[in-house]
Amino acid sequence: MSDFKEFPCPNCSSELNYDAEKNDLKCLHCHTVFSIEKSDELIAEITIDSFNSAISSHMLPINDVNYKCSKCGQETKLKEDIAFFECRNCGNNVINASAYKSRTIVPSSIIPFAVSKDKAMEHFIAWIGKGFWNDSSLKELSIADNLVGHYIPFWTFDANTENQWSGQSGTYYYVTESYRDSQGKSQTRSVRRTRWQYKEGQFSQFFNDILICGNQEITQDYINKIYPFHLDELKPLNEKYLLGWNAKAFDKDMNDSYTLSKNFITSKVEEMAATYLAADTYSGLEVSTEFCDETYKHIILPVWFCEYLFKDKKYFFIINGQTGAIHGEKPLSTTKIVTAIVLAVIFVIVLFMAFS
Ligand SMILES: [Zn+2]
Ligand SMILES: [Zn+2]
């Protein structure tokens, strides 16, 4: 059963949005700012058992739901996992408070947007303008129209690990070798050899807040590029933070998310074991890892997305909505490439004339 909530401005009944610059609610019409009640509730780490049992239960199918606007009567049809939407007729802001309940695990906390759209544009212009190759006409593109703030669901995983490792540790040494050169004369040279020795050991390592994206449209490698998020700023989830922003429940397979975090831990453990094993080099490294005290949190983080066209080609970038870190592909400017090639050719000719 859907649970729609509206938060009209107490002054003028217009729409309230969560404002990234004020960190509070702001009326779009009369511009009055209203504070969001702060909670000092602790954000708990939850033992992994409930996550594992949620994996084994099926993800429920996502149904359509209907909302009848309380202001204009227009019906809006939407997917039940959409947490915020606007009436398509009058723009009335509506929170779908049951959206996250369409999944077996509901997020506990959120980092609200701290980078406003204006600030996100500033980050984009600073980034795109940095390179020699970027066309200044980019600034005229309608980036602002395509720049959209999304609250993205994430998982954080913690684990203690007990690790046993073994392998061959290699130490370099040098011997002097005689050989005959092309004229048949006797010469000597220093040659590197490796002395191998079997080694083994164990260590414990705690991993805190391995952050895995729960949105299947964005790969983990891509989102990693705008890390870190400062998770000490997580606040208990209050749906008012969602007002005016896109927000949707997680849609990536939970097992895949968990596997990504385990793979991350395993590769870090292997890197550490390799540094314990290697003197100068190593081979045949074997590591066995036991996971214990595993916990998780389900959280929501702010990300700006933008897809735009430049000379008939699609480009995409993302911005961390907490820190402003940006990642994406930059278009190349053909004018600047041609100019650079011409300049390089002139440079070579000048060099050639100077030395001939
Ligand atoms: Zn107002
Ligand atoms: Zn309406």
Side-chain angles (χ1 to χ4, degrees):
M1 195 56 206
S2 297
D3 177 13
F4 297 115
K5 291 186 184 173
E6 293 166 49
F7 301 94
C9 171
N11 277 356
C12 72
S13 304
S14 185
E15 280 72 48
L16 289 182
N17 271 2
Y18 171 75
D19 187 289
E21 270 170 23
K22 303 273 182 227
N23 303 122
D24 269 320
L25 299 181
K26 189 176 167 188
C27 176
L28 294 180
H29 180 70
C30 71
H31 307 300
T32 316
V33 174
F34 299 92
S35 60
I36 297 179
E37 15 346 318
K38 307 289 181 275
S39 161
D40 48 13
E41 192 188 313
L42 282 177
I43 295 152
E45 302 285 352
I46 306 162
T47 60
I48 204 73
D49 304 355
S50 63
F51 184 90
N52 288 333
S53 54
I55 290 181
S56 55
S57 69
H58 275 293
M59 275 214 268
L60 302 167
I62 300 299
N63 300 313
D64 287 336
V65 287
N66 277 309
Y67 164 76
K68 189 165 191 235
C69 182
S70 65
K71 283 191 176 166
C72 73
Q74 169 83 40
E75 288 225 359
T76 301
K77 189 168 146 185
L78 64 144
K79 294 283 176 202
E80 64 177 343
D81 61 347
I82 304 290
F84 170 80
F85 64 98
E86 291 173 8
C87 166
R88 71 165 83 112
N89 183 46
C90 72
N92 188 18
N93 276 358
V94 188
I95 294 288
N96 175 14
S98 54
Y100 292 114
K101 293 177 194 149
S102 64
R103 296 297 183 203
T104 35
I105 295 176
V106 174
S108 63
S109 51
I110 185 168
I111 293 179
F113 270 91
V115 175
S116 65
K117 191 164 196 169
D118 287 349
K119 281 271 178 298
M121 280 303 294
E122 284 173 24
H123 286 294
F124 169 74
I125 288 167
W127 172 74
I128 205 79
K130 266 184 199 163
F132 176 67
W133 304 107
N134 308 115
D135 200 301
S136 51
S137 62
L138 263 178
K139 288 177 189 165
E140 289 149 30
L141 290 176
S142 53
I143 299 292
D145 296 342
N146 299 322
L147 188 60
V148 184
H150 289 260
Y151 277 116
I152 304 291
F154 278 79
W155 304 97
T156 74
F157 296 99
D158 310 318
N160 241 323
T161 60
E162 294 295 337
N163 310 288
Q164 311 266 355
W165 58 267
S166 65
Q168 296 292 329
S169 178
T171 310
Y172 296 143
Y173 65 98
Y174 293 84
V175 292
T176 307
E177 209 178 63
S178 307
Y179 71 101
R180 298 221 169 258
D181 66 15
S182 52
Q183 271 94 49
K185 283 188 191 153
S186 176
Q187 304 277 9
T188 60
R189 65 187 166 197
S190 181
V191 176
R192 193 178 82 186
R193 299 273 163 80
T194 308
R195 186 176 295 116
W196 294 104
Q197 187 194 1
Y198 176 80
K199 278 190 186 172
E200 60 183 9
Q202 59 186 55
F203 64 95
S204 328
Q205 181 65 40
F206 177 65
F207 289 88
N208 189 32
D209 288 340
I210 309 298
L211 190 58
I212 304 292
C213 182
N215 181 313
Q216 63 177 0
E217 281 151 45
I218 182 146
T219 66
Q220 191 59 43
D221 287 345
Y222 209 85
I223 203 92
N224 281 345
K225 300 283 192 342
I226 59 162
Y227 280 10
F229 284 91
H230 305 300
L231 300 183
D232 50 343
E233 289 178 16
L234 277 169
K235 298 177 192 312
L237 178 56
N238 181 328
E239 55 218 351
K240 290 177 184 167
Y241 290 121
L242 310 179
L243 283 166
W245 305 84
N246 285 282
K248 191 170 167 278
F250 76 86
D251 57 8
K252 184 148 91 190
D253 186 277
M254 289 174 70
N255 212 5
D256 291 349
S257 299
Y258 183 56
T259 306
L260 277 174
S261 94
K262 284 225 154 164
N263 290 348
F264 174 84
I265 290 176
T266 309
S267 70
K268 285 284 163 207
V269 161
E270 274 188 19
E271 273 174 33
M272 293 174 76
T275 60
Y276 293 135
L277 171 62
D280 295 316
T281 184
Y282 67 93
S283 78
L285 172 64
E286 285 193 30
V287 186
S288 81
T289 298
E290 209 175 288
F291 288 76
C292 40
D293 310 326
E294 286 180 79
T295 55
Y296 76 98
K297 294 190 295 289
H298 186 30
I299 64 173
I300 299 173
L301 300 178
V303 181
W304 286 100
F305 286 73
C306 185
E307 190 181 72
Y308 63 100
L309 275 179
F310 180 68
K311 292 182 180 162
D312 298 329
K313 199 177 163 217
K314 262 188 196 169
Y315 293 91
F316 183 65
F317 67 88
I318 55 174
I319 298 179
N320 182 319
Q322 182 189 29
T323 67
I326 182 165
H327 174 66
E329 289 156 4
K330 297 182 190 184
L332 302 181
S333 155
T334 34
T335 340
K336 283 182 181 171
I337 291 171
V338 171
T339 316
I341 291 170
V342 169
L343 284 175
V345 169
I346 294 172
F347 179 71
V348 170
I349 292 171
V350 168
L351 264 186
F352 178 76
M353 285 166 68
F355 288 98
S356 59

